[in-house]
Amino acid sequence: GLSVDLINQIAKDFNWEVVWQEQINFGTFPQDLKNGRYDAICGSIFALPRNALIDYTAPYAVIPLYGYVRADNPNLDKPFSAIDWSQVTIAGIDGEAAIAAAARLLPEANIETLPQASSIGEVLTQVASNKADIAFAIPSVFGAFNKNNPGKLKQADLGGPLYKIEITFGVPADEVAFKDIISNAIRRYQVGGELAALHAKYDPAGLLEQPTN
């Protein structure tokens, strides 16, 4: 994917060897990174506060979080400011980016969370089964859900996304020079066009946005 090709190109530029060690555990990876289990998180991760155990490179993509509701529910097809969020239940995963943004930006809303081991697909199922009114997710996740559950949910016409999140690589918080090397390479590819080429290759539908700086 995009992140793999990008980090492999950076490694090639600096004569580094990339060893793909394991899939991370989202509940423990900040501490695992701090403890030296691996040198960097080179998959796609969101830049979120994680107890100062991890730092982030410059972003290589930005992704919006849209709201998804039952297909027969017209009540949330209006701007965020026109909704009485105290009457709305939002589904999400405990500690996940979308629910953290919703709790911060829509404090009046009722929040119902699933355990961290749950999938975003399970969150969308909460909405489809009428256990929640809305869930916020990235478009690709909704696309996968909709493929298997056509016509169950729709994107709410809220006037735009709830929030936009930077997608980055993660490095230990004390590895400033390492972070700067990767960040500078990403910016160089952004200016030179290599990053745009990767976006075109792996995101032809344009679900991701390119960073603006």
Side-chain angles (χ1 to χ4, degrees):
L2 194 161
S3 63
V4 172
D5 276 14
L6 178 57
I7 200 67
N8 280 338
Q9 182 58 53
I10 293 171
K12 182 179 178 181
D13 286 352
F14 291 97
N15 294 315
W16 296 342
E17 179 184 6
V18 177
V19 178
W20 297 98
Q21 182 168 324
E22 61 186 52
Q23 185 172 343
I24 63 171
N25 180 316
F26 276 93
T28 64
F29 81 81
Q31 188 65 53
D32 290 341
L33 187 64
K34 182 178 185 295
N35 292 342
R37 189 182 183 98
Y38 21 74
D39 299 311
I41 309 297
C42 294
S44 299
I45 61 170
F46 296 156
L48 299 172
R50 300 185 195 271
N51 300 322
L53 299 176
I54 182 172
D55 201 356
Y56 301 100
T57 66
Y60 58 85
V62 176
I63 194 159
L65 294 170
Y66 290 106
Y68 298 98
V69 299
R70 289 181 300 280
D72 61 356
N73 179 9
N75 298 325
L76 298 180
D77 287 328
K78 55 182 109 173
F80 283 97
S81 60
I83 296 172
D84 180 0
W85 289 98
S86 67
Q87 301 300 310
V88 177
T89 298
I90 302 173
I93 295 174
D94 185 34
E96 190 262 338
I99 207 66
R104 186 174 71 256
L105 299 172
L106 306 170
E108 302 87 1
N110 303 292
I111 304 290
E112 294 288 341
T113 58
L114 297 176
Q116 283 191 343
S118 306
S119 70
I120 305 297
E122 291 175 279
V123 172
L124 294 174
T125 298
Q126 293 289 98
V127 178
S129 60
N130 207 25
K131 294 179 181 177
D133 300 306
I134 189 170
F136 294 95
I138 62 177
S140 59
V141 169
F142 169 71
F145 178 89
N146 193 52
K147 183 177 180 180
N148 295 320
N149 304 273
K152 295 287 187 181
L153 300 181
K154 66 177 182 180
Q155 182 178 314
D157 187 8
L158 296 164
L162 170 72
Y163 198 62
K164 294 183 179 182
I165 299 177
E166 294 178 328
I167 303 178
T168 74
F169 299 123
V171 299
D174 57 353
E175 293 284 353
V176 177
F178 184 39
K179 179 192 75 171
D180 287 347
I181 290 171
I182 297 175
S183 294
N184 289 335
I186 292 171
R187 295 188 186 102
R188 187 170 67 252
Y189 297 160
Q190 185 179 354
V191 173
E194 294 96 333
L195 186 59
L198 287 175
H199 274 258
K201 178 180 179 180
Y202 289 107
D203 182 37
L207 300 179
L208 299 174
E209 299 176 11
Q210 292 189 53
T212 56
N213 52 48

